[in-house]
Amino acid sequence: AVRESEQSVTLSIILSQASPKPFQVVINMVDMTAKVGQDYRGRMKTVNVAAGLKQKNFSINIVNNNKVECVEKFSAVIMLATTCGVTIGNDNISEVVITDDDVIAAEVSLSQSQYLIAEANTTLSISVMLNVSVTTEVMVEIDVRDESATATEDFNVSTPVVFIVTIPVGSTSHSFDISIIDDMIQENNETFNITMRLLPSCLQLSIGTSSSTVTIIDNDVAVIQFTSSVFSGFEHSGMLSASVTILRGVFCPQRYWYSNYVYFWKCIRK
């Protein structure tokens, strides 16, 4: 294996015995996960072997590209020896492994740890962020959990409550949406939680902000009115009954005292 920052790798051609004559060996480089021009230089290389040698070293240039990337590989294959009497053995392929040693640490985070959104806003967009561009996609698992807010009553996600978000190659973010339900119920502000965890990757990733609390700000005002503009009763009964209705929101039933009488107000939820 070779570290990317070393910028070259040395391989050896081994002979079972020395040749009395000089000859040339043609080496062909074959892409695997490493790509010529991006990760190493030169598709083909000719190596001159002097007479009397049993080993000849040669080097291949490695590209130090300052990108956060996975371990990458290519192969060097002996294709041809140009002198009669020199044949290619079975062990003619060498696999070169390039390990990334860029000092930039790739970190994945949710874009915020706290979100405040009005109930009237229909959609909350949340981003998964990378601090640097990387050479492979990054996948995280998102888990949306109820607190005082309840899924399907206060918010909806277009996917299951636990789902995968993928940041594409070359991108530094990807967003997902959560729909907020604008009901007609007066209620306290409500919350739900989002947590994120990294899925296995060939990259050396760290995690930053991994959880967020979403607070839904209620926008409803309870509207209450009498069910009629006129109520009647008998004087001898000593009590008049009236009723109210809730046009919007929720009004908790309350008992109102007046002098020696108790008035009960029946509230209706709509």
Side-chain angles (χ1 to χ4, degrees):
V2 57
R3 294 193 303 274
E4 187 180 271
S5 61
E6 293 178 24
Q7 301 188 44
S8 70
V9 60
T10 299
L11 302 180
S12 298
I13 299 170
I14 306 296
L15 285 78
S16 59
Q17 63 184 39
S19 171
K21 297 180 181 180
F23 64 95
Q24 291 182 328
V25 175
V26 177
I27 310 294
N28 189 40
M29 266 57 76
V30 180
D31 290 354
M32 297 172 70
T33 51
K35 308 300 180 185
V36 65
Q38 299 178 23
D39 303 298
Y40 68 94
R41 301 193 188 280
R43 176 66 73 188
M44 187 173 292
K45 193 175 189 74
T46 300
V47 180
N48 294 310
V49 182
L53 293 180
K54 293 188 66 175
Q55 178 175 322
K56 176 64 176 181
N57 297 335
F58 67 94
S59 63
I60 302 171
N61 292 330
I62 304 298
V63 178
N64 188 10
N65 54 21
N66 294 319
K67 293 180 180 178
V68 179
E69 52 198 348
C70 302
V71 170
E72 297 174 314
K73 302 176 182 180
F74 70 94
S75 293
V77 183
I78 299 175
M79 300 297 294
L80 178 67
T82 62
T83 297
C84 293
V86 178
T87 59
I88 299 172
N90 292 328
D91 191 12
N92 67 322
I93 300 175
S94 180
E95 185 178 275
V96 179
V97 178
I98 305 172
T99 58
D100 185 53
D101 57 358
D102 293 301
V103 296
I104 302 172
E107 182 182 85
V108 188
S109 293
L110 292 171
S111 52
Q112 296 177 214
S113 61
Q114 298 281 338
Y115 291 89
L116 297 177
I117 184 167
E119 188 178 74
N121 293 338
T122 55
T123 302
L124 172 64
S125 184
I126 297 174
S127 294
V128 179
M129 312 287 292
L130 267 172
N131 63 331
V132 292
S133 176
V134 297
T135 58
T136 187
E137 64 182 20
V138 174
M139 301 175 67
V140 298
E141 183 181 81
I142 301 295
D143 189 353
V144 182
R145 295 292 176 182
D146 297 353
E147 285 294 330
S148 52
T150 304
T152 73
E153 294 183 9
D154 301 298
F155 66 93
N156 280 320
V157 288
S158 57
T159 53
V161 175
V162 178
F163 54 94
I164 305 300
V165 173
T166 301
I167 301 177
V169 175
S171 180
T172 55
S173 68
H174 194 73
S175 298
F176 62 93
D177 292 337
I178 296 178
S179 299
I180 306 301
I181 299 173
D182 187 11
D183 57 30
M184 298 179 65
I185 301 173
Q186 187 186 35
E187 54 201 344
N188 295 327
N189 295 339
E190 296 176 312
T191 61
F192 62 92
N193 291 327
I194 300 167
T195 56
M196 176 185 72
R197 76 175 185 90
L198 291 172
L199 294 181
S201 172
C202 62
L203 298 172
Q204 297 298 314
L205 298 172
S206 61
I207 193 163
T209 302
S210 61
S211 63
S212 294
T213 299
V214 179
T215 301
I216 303 173
I217 309 299
D218 187 57
N219 65 336
D220 296 298
V221 177
V223 178
I224 183 170
Q225 69 179 32
F226 284 109
T227 56
S228 174
S229 59
V230 177
F231 293 95
S232 60
F234 296 102
E235 184 177 324
H236 65 269
S237 68
M239 183 175 67
L240 174 67
S241 294
S243 63
V244 296
T245 188
I246 307 299
L247 299 181
R248 182 179 176 89
V250 170
F251 188 80
C252 297
Q254 298 184 44
R255 178 179 295 179
Y256 294 91
W257 291 83
Y258 177 75
S259 187
N260 294 326
Y261 299 98
V262 178
Y263 296 86
F264 295 94
W265 298 82
K266 181 181 179 181
C267 296
I268 303 170
R269 174 173 174 163
K270 296 194 70 174

